[in-house]
Each structure stands twice: as structure tokens, then as C-alpha cells.
Amino acid sequence: MQQGYVAVLCVLAVMGLEAAALDECEITRLLQDKLQYEMRLQYMKHYFPIDYTVQVQYEEVLRPSNITHLRNGTVSEAALRYLWFHVSSQALLRIREVLLEKHPSWKYTQELCQLFDALGREYSKYRQTDVDVVVADLVKQVHSASADSRRKAVRPKALLDNCLKVMRMLYGRPCRWDST
């Protein structure tokens, strides 16, 4: 199954379309494939110094428990996916900020960024009024990296682990993924 998605990406890349023609479920499925445990372990742990951390804003750490809390506060699923996209893409950018182009993880993070860019094109259709106020405020905080914002040291692999767990929570049922 994974090879099929890789083939689709290769064909689209050759055609110069990258992942633009894919819908939200297909893109997140490709992200899920890219975020396999072995890849996260290799690129986000083994290729970094022991106990290496990245400084992120407190709001850039999105865990399944945060999603559960927001769901109980009656935030819509679409708004939660919108929040996940912004938090996860920002976390990925934080990881890329510390990498040199020749770092072994550079290409891997670049591929993830391309998938997030494709997903961003899907989410660019959202209007700010379509998103719950709580989510809109969180997205605003994520994108406003002020000097007085609370910072947290997080391992790169943990950021991508959370990205995958939350993505599975939000997309597993609507995209009809097998329980993986």
C-alpha cells in the first residue's frame, strides 16, 4: 500500500505537480506513511545528539489530550484539523531551523514540508470565520512568536510523535484509515 503512495508522489513530482492534486485524506495518508516509527526514529533521534531539544512555544506542543479537551469544549472537528495543521507545520519549521542543508534529516524534513504545503493549500480555503474562536486564538498565538511567549524544550522526535498521534485521532475515522 505504501509503495502505491510513493509511486503517486513520484509521478506527480515528475509532472511538476508535487502533491497539489491530492485531497486532504490522501495527503494525510502520505504524511502518515512518511511519519512511520522507523523514519521518525532514524531522522529525528539517531541523527541528532543525545537529548537534543528544540525550543518551541508552549502552544506548539499539541497532544491527544489537548484534542480531547477541546472536543469536550465542543470545538468542531474541522477546526481541530485546522489547528493540528498550523501547530504541526510550525513545529516542523522549528526543527528545520536548527538543521543545516547537509544534515542527514534535511531531505526528510523537506519532504514533510512539501506535504504540509500541499495540505496548506487545502486549508487556505478556510475563512477565519469558519474556525472556532478558541482555535483561531491558538493559531494566532502559534504564529506570533513574541519574545515573551512561554518556551519549552522538546525533542524533535517527540514533536513528530505528537503530530502523528493527533493526526490519527483527527483523520482516522473521516478518512477511513485502518486502525494503525
Side-chain angles (χ1 to χ4, degrees):
M1 189 79 156
Q2 179 187 0
Q3 290 174 340
Y5 285 107
V6 172
V8 168
L9 266 185
C10 290
V11 168
L12 290 173
V14 167
M15 293 170 48
L17 300 174
E18 294 175 359
L22 303 175
D23 73 357
E24 192 176 353
C25 285
E26 290 171 329
I27 295 168
T28 52
R29 181 59 155 165
L30 291 169
L31 265 171
Q32 180 176 265
D33 291 345
K34 262 300 183 209
L35 291 170
Q36 288 179 16
Y37 176 75
E38 294 80 17
M39 295 176 97
R40 292 191 324 270
L41 189 66
Q42 179 180 356
Y43 291 110
M44 295 293 115
K45 184 174 182 179
H46 293 163
Y47 289 159
F48 280 87
I50 294 172
D51 295 328
Y52 186 83
T53 59
V54 178
Q55 291 293 321
V56 297
Q57 293 181 75
Y58 185 77
E59 294 81 14
E60 290 174 328
V61 179
L62 186 64
R63 295 186 175 100
S65 60
N66 302 118
I67 296 300
T68 302
H69 177 73
L70 289 168
R71 275 180 173 161
N72 293 340
T74 64
V75 174
S76 72
E77 289 296 307
L80 290 174
R81 288 192 294 270
Y82 182 79
L83 174 64
W84 167 83
F85 164 75
H86 282 281
V87 170
S88 296
S89 58
Q90 193 67 20
L92 184 58
L93 291 176
R94 294 280 182 228
I95 294 169
R96 282 189 56 98
E97 286 175 357
V98 301
L99 296 176
L100 299 172
E101 278 191 50
K102 294 187 181 196
H103 191 280
S105 299
W106 179 263
K107 188 172 189 274
Y108 174 71
T109 58
Q110 185 177 24
E111 291 167 359
L112 289 173
C113 282
Q114 288 171 345
L115 290 170
F116 272 103
D117 287 345
L119 197 55
R121 287 188 286 278
E122 290 290 318
Y123 283 115
S124 67
K125 301 168 190 166
Y126 279 72
R127 293 184 313 247
Q128 199 65 22
T129 55
D130 295 339
V131 180
D132 296 277
V133 174
V134 174
V135 170
D137 289 344
L138 285 170
V139 168
K140 189 176 178 182
Q141 288 176 2
V142 165
H143 289 293
S144 65
S146 62
D148 61 340
S149 64
R150 296 184 301 171
R151 295 282 178 178
K152 184 175 189 169
V154 183
R155 291 188 175 106
K157 183 181 172 295
L159 288 171
L160 292 187
D161 289 347
N162 287 330
C163 170
L164 178 64
K165 288 175 191 173
V166 172
M167 182 177 70
R168 285 179 174 164
M169 279 181 75
L170 296 173
Y171 289 94
R173 183 174 292 143
C175 292
R176 296 182 184 101
W177 292 349
D178 296 333
S179 57
T180 52

